Amino acid sequence: MNTKTLKSGHKGFTLIELLVAMSITVILLGVLVYMTGISMDTYRDSRNEVRASRQAKEALSTIAKDFESMVSRRDGNNYEWLYAGEETSSLKGPSQREITNTSRLIFFTGATDRYNGAIGTSNDKGGDVSAVSYRLVYRDQISDSNDEEHAVFTLYRHLVNPDEAFKLLAVEDLEQAYTSDFSENDDLSAANFLVENIYEFSVTFLIEVTVDQGGAQVTHTVRATMSPSNMTEFRLKGSKIEYSGDVEFASGSGLAQAQIENGRIVGVDISITVLSDQGLTLAKKSGISRQDLVKQHGYHYSKSITTPRP
């Protein structure tokens, strides 16, 4: 019997061919993973920026409305209409990453959301001048406590309705009178929550000073920026402006402090820094400096506001 061996026309892969194919597959998968990572990073950055922009818009819009309807009188008395200072509480954030540039604001405004917006109804108790306080602190606004485990950097706005703000209208120290009548719990209640992840809150007052120079009336603009290293306190009274720190004005103008104190506030520049959620998480951990935190995970926004002339 003759036995024939049939040879197949198809050959299998050699070891070298398999290794080459696997190498190409690994390279392609690596490129795919890399491109996916870039896409995810881009998406995350875009989402963080959109969220930060939304937070900033809400904060700046609310602050602008209050300043645009700010109420003050230059009638020569010593009553105080605006106070700006540093946040002095212990609620400034984790060690080494505390809020270092924040302003505490108290002033009078004709806010349209007084009495929870129920103007002209039975809930309207009369009056049109409210007091408002802004504070930026590190606090858990969900549990309404100072528990740092779930705390975030939070900007609070406490609007005092006209029926209660009336007793603050004729005082010589607005900050002292306010803190005597309203506790920290009043300021930092959940009802007064405005926005979160605000890491810096800076205020610059624009002061218009008109002086006589050689028989001509010349107007200068002076900038008073609130910051721990520059200016720690600013007060607007019925007779003058009081401030502790340095102001900025054009060189050669030769303005004296008394001339600046007699100036008028004509505008306010607000600057805020919003942290991403990742930045907030890193702020609770050690190993990252405040400067790197702001540089890598912060978004900066600002707004110029024109204030009513008293």
Side-chain angles (χ1 to χ4, degrees), residues 63-85:
I63 297 170
K65 288 178 182 178
D66 284 337
F67 268 118
E68 286 169 350
S69 59
M70 185 176 73
V71 176
S72 64
R73 301 284 186 273
R74 293 301 296 270
D75 47 15
N77 60 47
N78 207 37
Y79 297 151
E80 195 163 285
W81 295 92
L82 176 146
Y83 167 82

Side-chain angles (χ1 to χ4, degrees), residues 53 70 190 200:
S53 177
M70 185 176 73
E200 292 180 335

